[in-house]
Amino acid sequence: MTKLQAEGAGAPYHSKSTNGATVPITSLALRSSNSESASASTKASPSSTEVALRAQPSSSNPDSKDSRSQRPGTGDGSLASSDRDDGDISKTNRRRNRDSGGTIRSQLISRPSDFGPDPTADDIPYYEDDGWTRHGFDSSDEHLKVLQEQWWMYYTDWRHNTGGKPKSKAESYPLQEWRMRDRLKTISAALALCLNIGVDPPDVIRTSPSARLECWVDPQGLPPPKALENIGRGLQTQYESLSVRTRYRQYLDPSIEETKKFLMAMRRNAKDERVLFHYNGHGVPKPTASGEVWVFNRNYTQYIPISLYDIQSWLGSPGLLVFDCSDAGNIIKNFNKFVAKREEENRDILKNDPAAVVTSFTDSIQLAACGSRETLPTNPDLPADLFTCCLTTPVEISLRFFVLQNPLPSKLSVEDVLKIPGRSTERRTPAGELNWIFTAITDTIAWNTLPRDLFKKLFRQDLMVAALFRNFLLSQRIMRVHKCHPQSSPELPETHTHPLWQSWDLAVEMVLAQLPALRAAEENKTHYEYQHSTFFAEQLTAFEVYLARGALTQKPPDQLPIVLQVLLSQVHRLRALILLSKFLDLGPWAVNLALSIGIFPYVLKLLQSAASELKPVMVFIWARILAVDQSCQQDLLKDNGYQYFIQILNPNVCIPVSNPGEHRAMCAFIITMFCRGYHQAQKVCLQASVIKSCLVYLADGHPLLRQWACLCIGELWVNFPEAKWDGISVKAHEMILLLKLDHVPEVRAAMLHTLNCFLGIPDITEQVAEIEEMLALSVMMMANDGSHVVRKELLVFFSTFVKRYENKFMVTAFEQMVEERDSLRKPSKTEDSEKSSSKRPPTKDVVKVHTHVKFSNSSIYASVWKQVLVLSVDPHPDIADSAAIVVDNITDALLASPLGTSPLGASAKKVMDDISKLSQLSKSSTSRPVEQTTEVKPPEMLKSKTEVQEGLLKRTFSYATTLKNLAWAGNNHTLDDGSSAKSDRPILSRAGSFIAVSPARAKTSGLPPSRSRIPSEWSNSAEAGPSQPSSRPTETPMPRGYVRRDLKEPPRLPLESTLVDWSIEYFRVPQMKQPEAEEAGSVDYNQRLWRRTRNERILARTQPQKEQAGTSRWDSSAGFFNNNTQPTKMVLHQFEDHLVVADDKDHISIWDWYKHARLNKFSNSNPQGTRITDMRLINEDDQALLMTGSSDGVIKIFRNYESDRNMELVSAWRALNDIDHGAGKSQGGLLFEWLQGRGNILAAGDTRVIKVWNAYTELCVAEIPARSGSAVTALTSEQVAGDIFAAGFSNGVVRVYDQRVPNQRETMLRAWKGYHTSEIVNVHIQRGGQRELISGSAQGDVIFWDIRMEKPLHIIDATGGEPLRSLSLHEHDPVFAV
């Protein structure tokens, strides 16, 4: 039965709940903080797999839908923290921050790295005894209120969410090609004017008055030759305003012979560059229907047509052709027809002769003044060459157009507007400002209208082409008013209705409004200061609004080209750079847009600026650019731009910012990217003493700066011996080693990566070998690091060290195998000599091993090799796979060496055969059936039936377990079962990881089914009994991005590190705004806010029910589930309807106890012979994670544990290394206690110490002596502050510890001996209520304690003399269940 007892003087409580079973209960869980207090119990019979769930009746409806309202979004159950359930109704109010404006919710905080408690802080006060709670705790302390108001979440950092791996190419935003690899120049231009002034062509009837101006020159009143000369000179001047470097030649009224001659000469001189052909046909007939244009004969007596096919042949490609004549659309159509015909001819030529040289005309660009059957306008207020004026003098024609189109009366005439003061090249003058604004507007219209490829070709490839097409957009707007539709090839969409044209009209109007005052000031009549346009300031404001409201959908901002133009202005430059940095912070897509628009030349030029106010924003911008595109290294070197960042990195230079550490970290990142894979950059940075500057920051308080200072030094050392010797001269490697215990895992990983880069000086002198051995010895202790990112980098370091000293490691591996074989030959100490001798293989075939002193004994190489073997059984699959590659590589090399097949002595292959045979014999001799019994024996009566083998790899790795996971492939090598495997070369291939090894895989490899690569010292348990095949489900949570090792790939060393690639991604994610989960209005935020509101509603409604827990009967059935396997551990979620059940193997089932449905079932991937010994749910306030502990000392954390599709392994590490996981103890193995408020994990077991792990640092921050030789069988802690904890031992002793005591040897406050005479089943401190401390032993006695007293408060015989298997205490009421 399940007994519910009140805390009294030993009398059973009046209410009992009968489970209706005749087998004892093995596990209990009380859910005392949710809407319904509930208890779950499981039975101990091997055939009983049921879970019974009972609820406490209450006055409120237990099935109230209020507590189970529909979840928003995906409805994943994630929720609230158990540490904060202190049982006070004012709990809800203490979660809110009050101010004069009313009640406001505290911030939804989920990132422990930024908001979690400082693990090194020791400022938590002790509680004064006010008599209200037990042990003198005072729950009204201000610090406790802070702990209860904050929402600290753990194992949700970037390294946990990404698995410590960079994104794959498929996941990353593709880098677009923004550089103009095929940049062209228009180096020559032919200006052909066919005017024949004074003679009208036969197909043109001029009106009177008619448009006369050509290039703003009126030919009337001038001799025709002089007028033609002035017009030609004016046209060249107008083109020179677009491109000065182009060589212009005027051809006035050319003949057909001259046309052919100058076109062919121009192509010959231009070679492969672009040439411009401007054709003005106002004095000749219109183009023909076939697109022929007209010129003159030598005597100017005839009009001679020229075929476009001939023009193409003479002009060649690439070309830029401008046709200013009526019916110009015919030219575009026929020109493209001829291009298509030529391309077809080229294909035929190449088909017959692939080596033939052909000319492609697809790069030719044409601009035409109007379409087919359209005549140029003849308005006398407009120039006759309106199209040419639009292309070459856009500001002047815009002013005239505005005056003509202005419906309001004005005193300005069309002639007055041509007298705007200033020059177009001076942006501070009215004319220059208008030209600047026009460039920005047309660029922006093109950017927002054209496809990206077309925009890049027309507006970024050639300066002349870009200028003409910007002005061509204006011609579309102006000439459309006069019934003409300019044409182009490539064809452009219509842009005349773009709203930015209204901004252009406003800018023109503002200048014209000031024109009379400006002209008066020029004539010295009055003093007037020009009022500059507000266009750019307004556009920057619009860009700022976009960044604040519209940047969530990754829609390109309309104002980005304008921001580019604003960088040219010193007035708005700083603001523009700040807004640009905010835009680049949005991610790689924003950086790609900025680079494609042409931002790079501007920010490169600004590196020459000495303005101190620009330095912070320039550093930020360059960090974002280099994080996306590393190809800018040569640009930084060419113009000495790298000096800009080296100067800021100098410790003696002051940066005008409030957070210099972060900006210097970005400088270190920029220099790291500058040096990465670029030897010339390494040289210049070494000369600039970058190493010395970075060494100063290794002790800086900013972790990002420490991390990138390390990585910067590492990139300087890569394949650069001179830099390594420079580092040795200043003892850089010794200074870097000081970071091995840094409290930030990323910094520790960066330290290992830097030391890995240090290895590899070509000449292995005695000094070099001594330094490298010292480094390997110093970092060896990091194999126990709790962060998989750190252990992964440690393995990369070991792989480089192993590869560098490969021969020594081959000998070490061989001697290791020999020692392992010899240890397997020794009989077990607990077996009689008869049986052990019968099991021992015959010795006549055994080759004797030399007895001389072995090379690897007590050497650094043996130590490193053992650590590699330990990492090959790491609980994290990525690390285990990588370590397997190192072991396979050395084993492969060993088999291929003389030691592998030597006929004179013990070969490696022979030793492996012996180990395989001996391990099988040892396994069969130690496998004994274990009787199932329900009797509970005191621990002193239980004795191990086998002892741990005393191998040379104590508590590490047995080489026998290596062979069990190796796919043997030899030359006709016969295995134990008679099968054989053939291969071209002897090689040992390891399975990907212990969870990847299947019986089928072992069978095909010729080896017996693998148990795991777990050391024999960890898997040899009497309680485990005989080996049984595991019935694991296929669903096994894997780390994010995990890719199983391809066994077909040969093992190669050294391993490649991805740390730098992963660290770079920090600069690719937004840093200036809150994360998505904390952005108000986002889906994640709304879901979290919903969960928080629901949790508070549950807590507020269920506070009165706590008092009923001690007076109500616990006999209302809430659920009954068949788990199919015997449950051993259970955890109830506080707010979700989740019941987590672990069985006697390694399966974990997730039940929805309200819906009576199983949500998920997966494997914990325990090595065979071990089991799950403890479980907790962490981060229950938000999205809960499942933490499990195994009897082999491993802790694992799972995300999305309730989903069979999205579950992931977040972290896994060995919390206890030297644990005996259950031999002779019913409660053996790892036990842990999770402290949500502090982020600490207390881990204990059959060890001499209780380890304290910190979730933020992922380090063991303390090792508290247990002060007992017995195993810890129960562990509990005061949850709010987390300083006081208690442990129960297998000998019945209960000890209390205080973590605040400076001397760890004196942390034990109390030891209660003699009250319990058998193993402690459970010990627990209430989170709420009166903080009662209760302990129960296997004999059934339950005792209440006060840590201030030497004697117990109450002693209760809870079972009436029957064995006690489980004990659970209500968190708030004086009620416990047994």
Side-chain angles (χ1 to χ4, degrees):
M1 71 181 71
T2 302
K3 287 186 178 181
L4 296 179
Q5 301 206 4
E7 300 173 4
Y13 197 69
H14 69 272
S15 177
K16 294 185 179 180
S17 177
T18 305
N19 57 29
T22 59
V23 293
I25 293 171
T26 59
S27 179
L28 275 175
L30 283 180
R31 184 190 198 196
S32 54
S33 59
N34 204 335
S35 56
E36 297 85 33
S37 295
S39 66
S41 59
T42 62
K43 307 170 187 179
S45 171
S47 61
S48 298
T49 60
E50 297 90 354
V51 177
L53 189 65
R54 304 190 182 277
Q56 164 211 333
S58 61
S59 57
S60 61
N61 182 10
D63 297 329
S64 172
K65 295 299 179 181
D66 189 25
S67 63
R68 300 179 183 86
S69 55
Q70 183 63 34
R71 299 171 176 83
T74 58
D76 54 10
S78 321
L79 311 165
S81 166
S82 57
D83 330 345
R84 299 203 305 271
D85 299 333
D86 60 353
D88 192 350
I89 190 65
S90 61
K91 165 72 173 176
T92 306
N93 294 331
R94 286 205 303 269
R95 292 188 174 203
R96 299 178 176 137
N97 296 327
R98 299 185 181 274
D99 59 8
S100 58
T103 302
I104 300 178
R105 294 181 181 273
S106 57
Q107 184 182 6
L108 291 176
I109 297 174
S110 64
R111 293 177 296 167
S113 296
D114 299 332
F115 302 102
D118 185 357
T120 62
D122 192 17
D123 56 353
I124 299 178
Y126 193 62
Y127 315 114
E128 299 296 334
D129 182 11
D130 61 358
W132 185 71
T133 56
R134 194 73 71 191
H135 321 297
F137 294 158
D138 181 10
S139 62
S140 63
D141 191 277
E142 290 297 327
H143 178 75
L144 303 188
K145 294 182 180 180
V146 174
L147 287 176
Q148 292 164 359
E149 289 173 358
Q150 295 296 335
W151 290 55
W152 289 324
M153 300 295 121
Y154 297 94
Y155 295 101
T156 58
D157 276 335
W158 179 255
R159 61 181 179 274
H160 302 119
N161 294 334
T162 61
K165 304 170 189 174
K167 292 182 180 179
S168 63
K169 291 184 178 180
E171 296 173 328
S172 302
Y173 191 88
L175 177 62
Q176 301 173 357
E177 181 59 44
W178 56 272
R179 293 181 184 270
M180 294 302 304
R181 305 295 181 185
D182 53 348
R183 185 179 293 276
L184 297 175
K185 296 180 181 179
T186 303
I187 63 173
S188 299
L191 308 179
L193 299 177
C194 300
L195 298 180
N196 196 15
I197 298 176
V199 179
D200 292 335
D203 57 351
V204 174
I205 301 175
R206 294 189 181 274
T207 60
S208 182
S210 179
R212 299 193 307 270
L213 296 179
E214 297 278 355
C215 298
W216 302 107
V217 175
D218 189 353
Q220 189 175 3
L222 292 175
K226 184 64 175 178
L228 183 61
E229 182 181 347
N230 291 344
I231 293 172
R233 189 182 305 112
L235 179 61
Q236 179 173 339
T237 302
Q238 292 173 191
Y239 266 107
E240 286 176 346
S241 66
L242 304 180
S243 177
V244 181
R245 298 183 178 180
T246 303
R247 298 190 297 268
Y248 298 96
R249 290 292 301 272
Q250 304 170 28
Y251 298 96
L252 309 178
D253 291 343
S255 64
I256 185 171
E257 292 81 3
E258 292 175 337
T259 303
K260 178 181 179 180
K261 181 179 178 181
F262 69 69
L263 288 180
M264 295 182 65
M266 188 168 57
R267 167 51 58 195
R268 185 169 52 253
N269 296 331
K271 298 182 180 179
D272 295 331
E273 296 291 345
R274 178 173 280 122
V275 294
L276 167 66
F277 175 59
H278 179 96
Y279 174 79
N280 185 326
H282 296 175
V284 293
K286 299 177 182 179
T288 64
S290 60
E292 295 172 316
V293 295
W294 300 87
V295 292
F296 304 96
N297 62 359
R298 290 181 178 272
N299 299 324
Y300 295 98
T301 59
Q302 292 180 339
Y303 299 110
I304 307 296
I306 303 179
S307 170
L308 290 178
Y309 191 89
D310 293 335
I311 294 179
Q312 288 178 352
S313 301
W314 301 339
L315 192 63
S317 181
L320 172 58
L321 298 92
V322 179
F323 299 99
D324 188 352
C325 58
S326 300
D327 285 355
N330 290 337
I331 303 176
I332 300 292
K333 293 179 182 179
N334 289 278
F335 193 96
N336 292 333
K337 289 181 181 179
F338 287 125
V339 169
K341 181 179 179 181
R342 287 182 180 273
E343 290 299 314
E344 185 177 352
E345 294 174 354
N346 291 340
R347 284 193 294 269
D348 294 339
I349 294 174
L350 293 176
K351 185 176 180 180
N352 298 327
D353 184 8
V357 178
V358 296
T359 301
S360 175
F361 290 86
T362 56
D363 290 335
S364 296
I365 299 173
Q366 303 96 45
L367 297 175
C370 59
S372 301
R373 300 182 180 179
E374 291 183 351
T375 304
L376 296 179
T378 59
N379 188 336
D381 294 327
L382 297 174
D385 58 346
L386 178 61
F387 183 64
T388 300
C389 290
C390 288
L391 294 182
T392 56
T393 57
V395 175
E396 290 81 354
I397 196 63
S398 294
L399 294 171
R400 180 173 289 231
F401 176 75
F402 179 83
V403 172
L404 294 175
Q405 297 297 119
N406 187 9
L408 300 177
S410 175
K411 298 180 180 180
L412 296 176
S413 64
V414 291
E415 288 78 14
D416 294 336
V417 298
L418 297 179
K419 301 176 182 179
I420 297 293
R423 295 189 299 176
S424 60
T425 56
E426 297 177 358
R427 287 188 292 271
R428 299 298 296 172
T429 63
E433 188 177 60
L434 278 178
N435 186 68
W436 185 23
I437 294 174
F438 177 81
T439 302
I441 286 178
T442 51
D443 242 18
T444 304
I445 292 175
W447 164 261
N448 295 323
T449 306
L450 304 183
R452 293 287 177 263
D453 293 340
L454 185 59
F455 174 84
K456 182 179 177 181
K457 176 181 179 181
L458 300 182
F459 289 83
R460 293 296 180 263
Q461 189 182 55
D462 188 334
L463 293 178
M464 175 67 81
V465 174
L468 288 177
F469 268 92
R470 277 196 298 267
N471 302 340
F472 179 78
L473 300 181
L474 176 67
S475 71
Q476 284 185 325
R477 185 186 188 217
I478 293 179
M479 299 194 69
R480 175 177 292 271
V481 176
H482 301 281
K483 311 303 180 182
C484 286
H485 300 81
Q487 306 290 310
S488 68
S489 179
E491 185 178 0
L492 300 186
E494 298 292 340
T495 60
H496 63 281
T497 58
H498 197 281
L500 273 179
W501 285 121
Q502 298 177 11
S503 299
W504 171 241
D505 290 339
L506 177 61
V508 170
E509 184 176 11
M510 291 180 63
V511 173
L512 292 181
Q514 302 179 68
L515 184 58
L518 291 173
R519 293 180 59 185
E522 279 188 343
E523 298 172 0
N524 296 325
K525 294 181 180 179
T526 59
H527 175 72
Y528 182 78
E529 185 175 352
Y530 175 65
Q531 301 298 317
H532 292 279
S533 174
T534 59
F535 170 78
F536 289 108
E538 292 169 352
Q539 293 299 318
L540 289 180
T541 302
F543 188 51
E544 192 170 4
V545 172
Y546 164 84
L547 294 174
R549 296 290 183 266
L552 300 178
T553 59
Q554 296 189 5
K555 178 185 176 182
D558 296 342
Q559 301 81 15
L560 190 58
I562 297 177
V563 176
L564 179 67
Q565 292 293 326
V566 175
L567 294 179
L568 301 173
S569 169
Q570 294 184 355
V571 177
H572 304 290
R573 180 176 295 163
L574 180 58
R575 183 188 178 193
L577 286 174
I578 293 175
L579 294 178
L580 178 62
S581 66
K582 292 181 179 180
F583 176 70
L584 298 181
D585 186 59
L586 296 178
W589 69 272
V591 177
N592 269 319
L593 281 177
L595 292 175
S596 64
I597 197 64
I599 207 76
F600 184 76
Y602 293 81
V603 295
L604 181 64
K605 185 67 175 178
L606 286 176
L607 292 180
Q608 310 300 325
S609 173
S612 60
E613 67 273 10
L614 298 182
K615 289 184 178 180
V617 66
M618 288 298 297
V619 169
F620 188 92
I621 289 174
W622 271 95
R624 264 54 192 177
I625 292 176
L626 287 173
V628 175
D629 190 353
Q630 192 184 340
S631 65
C632 308
Q633 296 167 311
Q634 295 182 356
D635 301 278
L636 288 175
L637 180 64
K638 179 175 60 177
D639 298 328
N640 292 329
Y642 67 92
Q643 292 286 356
Y644 190 88
F645 307 105
I646 291 179
Q647 182 183 9
I648 299 176
L649 191 63
N650 191 326
N652 299 322
V653 175
C654 181
I655 309 178
V657 291
S658 58
N659 53 344
E662 185 174 357
H663 283 78
R664 286 198 167 100
M666 287 187 281
C667 282
F669 164 73
I670 292 171
I671 298 174
T672 302
M673 300 301 293
F674 176 55
C675 295
R676 195 178 187 197
Y678 192 26
H679 185 63
Q680 192 63 31
Q682 290 176 311
K683 288 184 177 180
V684 297
C685 288
L686 179 63
Q687 297 172 358
S689 302
V690 170
I691 293 180
K692 294 181 181 178
S693 297
C694 290
L695 290 176
V696 175
Y697 300 121
L698 296 182
D700 191 84
H702 201 291
L704 189 65
L705 179 54
R706 297 198 302 273
Q707 175 187 354
W708 282 104
C710 271
L711 295 177
C712 183
I713 296 175
E715 289 302 324
L716 269 172
W717 281 346
V718 174
N719 300 324
F720 193 17
E722 290 83 355
K724 297 178 182 180
W725 281 112
D726 185 76
I728 292 175
S729 65
V730 295
K731 298 184 178 180
H733 55 288
E734 297 180 6
M735 299 175 66
I736 293 172
L737 270 176
L738 298 177
L739 297 176
K740 64 183 179 182
L741 292 179
D742 193 279
H743 67 276
V744 178
E746 288 84 351
V747 177
R748 301 197 299 272
M751 180 272 294
L752 288 170
H753 176 79
T754 303
L755 294 181
N756 178 58
C757 297
F758 176 81
L759 300 179
I761 297 178
D763 298 330
I764 307 180
T765 63
E766 183 177 352
Q767 180 186 5
V768 172
E770 182 180 353
I771 292 176
E772 293 181 346
E773 291 177 1
M774 182 271 293
L775 294 178
L777 181 63
S778 300
V779 302
M780 201 171 303
M781 49 85 67
M782 300 182 74
N784 299 323
D785 199 288
S787 173
H788 66 278
V789 176
V790 177
R791 299 199 306 276
K792 189 186 301 183
E793 284 306 307
L794 176 66
L795 187 57
V796 174
F797 174 86
F798 281 159
S799 70
T800 305
F801 189 75
V802 168
K803 182 65 176 178
R804 187 161 170 80
Y805 300 96
E806 185 179 35
N807 292 333
K808 295 182 180 180
F809 278 99
M810 288 167 53
V811 176
T812 300
F814 176 73
E815 293 180 353
Q816 178 65 58
M817 288 190 291
V818 173
E819 292 173 359
E820 186 68 23
R821 182 193 63 182
D822 294 343
S823 66
L824 289 172
R825 285 174 176 170
K826 296 179 182 180
S828 177
K829 295 181 180 179
T830 59
E831 296 180 356
D832 53 64
S833 57
E834 252 181 60
K835 291 187 177 181
S836 62
S837 62
S838 65
K839 301 291 182 181
R840 192 178 305 166
T843 59
K844 60 182 181 179
D845 296 332
V846 176
V847 181
K848 295 185 179 180
V849 186
H850 297 290
T851 58
H852 66 282
V853 178
K854 295 181 175 59
F855 164 79
S856 63
N857 278 358
S858 303
S859 69
I860 183 62
Y861 308 105
S863 301
V864 171
W865 183 244
K866 292 176 183 178
Q867 286 294 352
V868 172
L869 295 178
V870 170
L871 291 172
S872 68
V873 293
D874 193 273
H876 199 280
D878 286 325
I879 300 173
D881 285 2
S882 299
I885 294 176
V886 181
V887 176
D888 287 351
N889 181 274
I890 293 300
T891 307
D892 190 11
L894 178 60
L895 291 176
S897 69
L899 287 174
T901 57
S902 174
L904 302 178
S907 65
K909 186 179 296 184
K910 175 62 177 174
V911 174
M912 289 182 179
D913 291 343
D914 293 343
I915 291 176
S916 180
K917 295 176 182 178
L918 290 170
S919 63
Q920 292 299 315
L921 292 174
S922 175
K923 177 180 177 182
S924 61
S925 64
T926 57
S927 298
R928 309 254 180 109
V930 179
E931 295 182 1
Q932 297 291 342
T933 176
T934 59
E935 181 182 0
V936 179
K937 297 183 179 180
E940 57 268 14
M941 299 176 59
L942 297 174
K943 294 185 179 179
S944 174
K945 298 182 180 180
T946 58
E947 288 190 2
V948 179
Q949 287 232 353
E950 295 181 2
L952 294 171
L953 296 178
K954 186 72 174 178
R955 295 191 304 275
T956 55
F957 184 87
S958 172
Y959 216 96
T961 61
T962 308
L963 298 179
K964 296 174 185 178
N965 294 274
L966 294 175
W968 183 272
N971 292 325
N972 252 352
H973 182 72
T974 303
L975 301 173
D976 296 343
D977 58 358
S979 62
S980 62
K982 295 182 179 181
S983 178
D984 296 337
R985 62 186 181 92
I987 182 172
L988 294 175
S989 300
R990 180 186 304 273
S993 67
F994 60 82
I995 54 177
V997 178
S998 63
R1001 175 68 178 87
K1003 183 176 180 180
T1004 56
S1005 64
L1007 287 176
S1010 167
R1011 292 175 60 202
S1012 74
R1013 289 202 300 272
I1014 194 71
S1016 58
E1017 292 84 355
W1018 292 338
S1019 60
N1020 190 9
S1021 169
E1023 188 178 321
S1027 301
Q1028 298 178 359
S1030 175
S1031 59
R1032 292 176 183 164
T1034 55
E1035 295 82 2
T1036 300
M1038 288 295 180
R1040 180 167 296 184
Y1042 173 73
V1043 179
R1044 203 176 299 276
R1045 177 188 170 194
D1046 186 0
L1047 299 178
K1048 297 180 181 179
E1049 291 290 331
R1052 294 186 177 91
L1053 294 184
L1055 301 175
E1056 293 185 6
S1057 172
T1058 59
L1059 179 69
V1060 176
D1061 293 325
W1062 174 71
S1063 300
I1064 290 172
E1065 292 185 356
Y1066 172 86
F1067 296 99
R1068 295 175 183 167
V1069 296
Q1071 302 294 333
M1072 291 188 180
K1073 68 173 186 176
Q1074 291 181 332
E1076 178 73 12
E1078 297 177 17
E1079 189 73 31
S1082 66
V1083 175
D1084 290 342
Y1085 184 91
N1086 290 340
Q1087 289 180 353
R1088 295 177 59 221
L1089 184 61
W1090 177 88
R1091 288 191 291 264
R1092 174 175 179 172
T1093 304
R1094 180 203 57 182
N1095 297 350
E1096 292 182 348
R1097 186 176 61 250
I1098 290 174
L1099 290 172
R1101 189 185 64 254
T1102 56
Q1103 298 304 317
Q1105 297 182 17
K1106 294 187 301 185
E1107 298 179 358
Q1108 302 174 18
T1111 58
S1112 301
R1113 299 182 61 85
W1114 292 65
D1115 55 3
S1116 176
S1117 177
F1120 188 83
F1121 320 107
N1122 186 354
N1123 200 54
N1124 296 325
T1125 54
Q1126 179 183 341
T1128 57
K1129 293 291 179 182
M1130 295 186 301
V1131 177
L1132 281 163
H1133 200 295
Q1134 287 192 86
F1135 302 102
E1136 293 287 350
D1137 302 329
H1138 292 170
L1139 172 63
V1140 185
V1141 181
D1143 62 14
D1144 54 350
K1145 294 184 176 65
D1146 70 342
H1147 299 166
I1148 298 175
S1149 298
I1150 315 298
W1151 292 87
D1152 187 322
W1153 61 263
Y1154 181 72
K1155 296 181 179 179
H1156 298 187
R1158 177 150 52 190
L1159 302 176
N1160 191 19
K1161 183 178 181 180
F1162 60 90
S1163 169
N1164 194 54
S1165 300
N1166 285 4
Q1168 195 162 357
T1170 63
R1171 66 191 186 282
I1172 299 174
T1173 56
D1174 215 342
M1175 288 193 308
R1176 293 289 189 279
L1177 288 172
I1178 68 175
N1179 298 349
E1180 289 181 275
D1181 279 317
D1182 192 42
Q1183 292 183 327
L1185 305 177
L1186 176 62
M1187 181 183 293
T1188 65
S1190 304
S1191 57
D1192 56 350
V1194 170
I1195 291 179
K1196 294 183 179 180
I1197 301 175
F1198 301 99
R1199 181 191 293 113
N1200 302 326
Y1201 60 86
E1202 77 282 1
S1203 172
D1204 58 348
R1205 296 182 179 180
N1206 301 322
M1207 56 182 177
E1208 295 177 353
L1209 177 66
V1210 177
S1211 183
W1213 76 99
R1214 200 172 300 280
L1216 295 178
N1217 289 327
D1218 50 356
I1219 188 173
D1220 185 358
H1221 56 81
K1225 294 177 288 296
S1226 60
Q1227 298 289 333
L1230 168 69
L1231 300 175
F1232 66 85
E1233 179 76 352
W1234 167 249
L1235 307 178
Q1236 183 79 33
R1238 287 205 168 209
N1240 283 349
I1241 305 170
L1242 305 177
D1246 191 7
T1247 58
R1248 300 286 183 177
V1249 296
I1250 300 172
K1251 291 189 176 183
V1252 182
W1253 291 86
N1254 183 263
Y1256 169 54
T1257 64
E1258 299 191 60
L1259 284 175
C1260 180
V1261 295
E1263 291 188 357
I1264 299 175
R1267 302 285 292 273
S1268 175
S1270 302
V1272 177
T1273 57
L1275 192 64
T1276 186
S1277 174
E1278 190 275 321
Q1279 282 287 335
V1280 180
D1283 295 316
I1284 306 296
F1285 69 92
F1289 293 82
S1290 60
N1291 60 358
V1293 178
V1294 178
R1295 289 179 168 84
V1296 181
Y1297 306 86
D1298 190 343
Q1299 298 185 55
R1300 294 169 297 182
V1301 178
N1303 188 353
Q1304 292 185 356
R1305 295 181 178 274
E1306 301 176 358
T1307 53
M1308 191 181 74
L1309 302 179
R1310 189 76 62 195
W1312 292 302
K1313 301 179 181 179
Y1315 298 100
H1316 291 296
T1317 58
S1318 60
E1319 178 180 298
I1320 301 298
V1321 174
N1322 194 12
V1323 59
H1324 191 78
I1325 300 177
Q1326 280 185 319
R1327 294 191 178 108
Q1330 293 186 353
R1331 310 286 179 85
E1332 295 287 1
L1333 171 59
I1334 183 175
S1335 63
S1337 70
Q1339 290 186 348
D1341 49 337
V1342 177
I1343 302 179
F1344 298 88
W1345 309 93
D1346 191 313
I1347 64 175
R1348 297 168 294 181
M1349 301 180 183
E1350 296 182 356
K1351 296 183 179 181
L1353 300 174
H1354 306 288
I1355 301 178
I1356 300 175
D1357 183 7
T1359 61
E1362 296 181 5
L1364 186 147
R1365 290 181 176 270
S1366 59
L1367 170 67
S1368 185
L1369 176 65
H1370 198 286
E1371 293 292 355
H1372 306 291
D1373 258 15
V1375 176
F1376 66 91
V1378 295

